[in-house]
Each structure stands twice: as structure tokens, then as C-alpha cells.
């Protein structure tokens, strides 16, 4: 786990504008890649020979899942996708909608859920319940980002990339009203 880099303010600030809001760079791609490599190294040791089913939570986790799967190099891994939506604008609606469900056989499987970010934790808690209900043997959570100050539920996160403050961010899969997912760095909302 890496902590939010303290020296970031000294670097030249890169900004982007999405719709009506300004964002400034807070996590350059190199820091993100380092955090992903650390998770992949731990997973390789923990999950070797376990025939793991990875479940990527769309849309946000697509970029993290893609980088992580390339780094982890497990020959018996499978990957599937679950499409959920809970955010509107810069805050969670509290209601998690399932847009595309799981078709895979989950019963008796070792599952790792891949999330972009754990904020209030309601989304991941709902996914864990669903996977357990379908009879998974073991469920682990991998999240690229974690906002501990926003957490409202009791959950155990097995793999955390970077711990961040409770600010709204975009980039590397995360969006502000559908924009910003394609940015390779992560940017934080500039408060007016
Ligand atoms: P939670 O249910 O509150 O933990 O929120 C989880 C989902 O909300 C994540 O999977 C993201 O897709 C989205 N989300 C949470 N925080 C942010 C953010 O700062 N920027 C963009 N999306 C976010
Ligand atoms: Mg998400």
C-alpha cells in the first residue's frame, strides 16, 4: 500500500476542465503503475494455483483491471465483468443499479473483485453479498484507490493500491458525468 504522495504540490500542476469543473493532477501515471505492480506481486504469491475468477466492476475499474491482469501473470486466472452505477455528478446516489449482471458459475470459486475506488463502501458491500449468495468459496477485494474518511460500512479490503483524501477525483477509469475516464493520470477537483 502506498500513501498519498506528499511532494506532489511542488511539481508543476497539470489541469483539465471537464464540463463546468477544473481538476488538477494529484497522482501521476507512474505512481499508479507502481501501486498496481505492488498489488500484482502480492496477488501472484497469494493466488498461485487457486484458479481465481476476477470480477471487474464496470465502468470505473476497466483500466485498473486491464493493467493488473497484465502484471499478475497467473496462468489459471479467468476474468469477468459486472456493470454497476451509483454516482451522479460528484456524489453517490446511495442506490446501486445493476446494468449488466454476472453469468459465470460462482459456486465453489475463489473470487477477487476488482474495484476502481472504495468511497462509502456501499457498492463493494453489495457486490460481496451477491458473490457470497451465489456460493463463492472465497471472496477477496482489490481496489486501486481507497478513501478511508468516506467509509460507511464494515469491510475488509485485501489489496489497496493508494489511500487518498476524501476529495472527488477523475482519471484512470474514474469519471465526472461520463468524462475523464480516459485520462492516464488521476486529477482532483479544484474547490472554488
Ligand atoms: P461507494 O459505493 O460510495 O464506495 O462508491 C463506489 C463507486 O462510486 C466507485 O466504484 C466509483 O465508480 C464511484 N466513485 C467513488 N468516488 C469517486 C470519485 O471520487 N470520482 C469518481 N467516481 C467515484
Ligand atoms: Mg466503480
Amino acid at each position: 500500500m502506498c500513501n498519498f504522495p506528499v511532494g506532489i504540490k511542488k511539481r508543476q500542476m497539470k489541469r483539465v476542465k471537464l464540463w463546468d469543473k477544473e481538476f488538477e493532477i494529484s497522482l501521476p501515471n507512474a505512481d499508479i503503475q507502481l501501486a498496481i505492480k505492488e498489488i500484482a506481486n502480492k496477488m501472484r504469491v497469494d493466488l498461485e494455483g487457486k484458479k481465481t475468477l476476477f470480477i471487474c466492476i464496470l465502468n470505473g475499474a476497466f483500466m485498473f483491471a486491464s493493467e493488473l491482469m497484465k502484471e499478475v501473470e497467473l496462468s489459471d486466472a479467468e476474468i469477468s465483468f459486472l456493470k454497476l452505477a451509483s454516482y451522479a455528478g460528484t456524489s453517490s446516489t446511495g442506490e446501486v443499479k445493476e446494468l449488466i449482471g454476472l453469468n459465470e458459475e460462482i459456486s465453489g470459486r475463489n473470487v477477487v473483485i476488482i474495484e476502481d475506488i472504495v468511497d462509502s463502501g456501499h457498492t463493494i458491500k453489495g457486490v460481496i453479498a451477491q458473490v457470497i449468495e451465489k456460493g463463492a468459496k472465497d471472496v477477496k477485494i482489490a481496489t486501486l484507490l481507497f478513501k478511508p474518511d468516506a467509509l460507511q460500512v464494515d469491510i475488509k479490503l485485501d489489496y489497496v493500491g493508494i489511500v487518498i483524501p476524501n476529495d472527488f477525483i477523475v482519471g484512470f477509469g474514474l469519471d465526472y458525468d461520463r468524462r475523464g475516464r480516459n485520462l492516464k493520470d488521476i486529477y482532483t477537483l479544484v474547490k472554488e
Side-chain angles (χ1 to χ4, degrees), residues 8 12-14 23-28 185-188:
I8 192 87
Q12 180 145 38
M13 286 300 178
K14 220 160 89 181
F23 295 82
E24 70 186 9
I25 193 164
S26 49
L27 288 168
D185 306 303
I186 288 176
Y187 293 76
T188 298

Side-chain angles (χ1 to χ4, degrees), residues 57-61 84-87 89-92 94 96 115-125 147 150-152 164-171 173-176 181 187:
I57 311 299
L58 296 174
N59 293 333
L84 304 175
S86 67
Y87 250 63
T90 59
S91 59
S92 176
V96 182
E115 243 307 24
D116 50 357
I117 187 165
V118 174
D119 185 49
S120 72
H122 289 296
T123 305
I124 202 74
K125 196 157 182 180
K147 291 182 191 171
L151 193 67
Q152 292 174 9
I164 62 166
N166 191 7
D167 297 317
F168 186 76
I169 56 160
V170 291
L174 291 112
D175 72 313
Y176 166 49
R181 290 197 198 278
Y187 293 76

Side-chain angles (χ1 to χ4, degrees), residues 36-87:
I36 295 174
K37 280 197 172 76
E38 278 188 27
I39 293 181
N41 291 340
K42 282 191 202 123
M43 276 184 171
R44 204 173 308 114
V45 175
D46 296 351
L47 306 175
E48 186 67 61
K50 295 240 165 91
K51 303 189 183 83
T52 301
L53 172 65
F54 289 88
I55 300 175
C56 167
I57 311 299
L58 296 174
N59 293 333
F62 82 99
M63 224 180 249
F64 172 43
S66 143
E67 295 298 312
L68 182 64
M69 290 298 94
K70 283 185 274 180
E71 288 293 334
V72 79
E73 290 177 339
L74 286 168
S75 56
D76 58 4
E78 294 173 28
I79 181 155
S80 189
F81 302 87
L82 178 64
K83 183 166 167 133
L84 304 175
S86 67
Y87 250 63

Side-chain angles (χ1 to χ4, degrees), residues 150-169:
L151 193 67
Q152 292 174 9
V153 298
D154 183 22
I155 40 162
K156 177 176 161 269
L157 302 173
D158 300 276
Y159 305 98
V160 176
I162 306 170
V163 175
I164 62 166
N166 191 7
D167 297 317
F168 186 76
I169 56 160

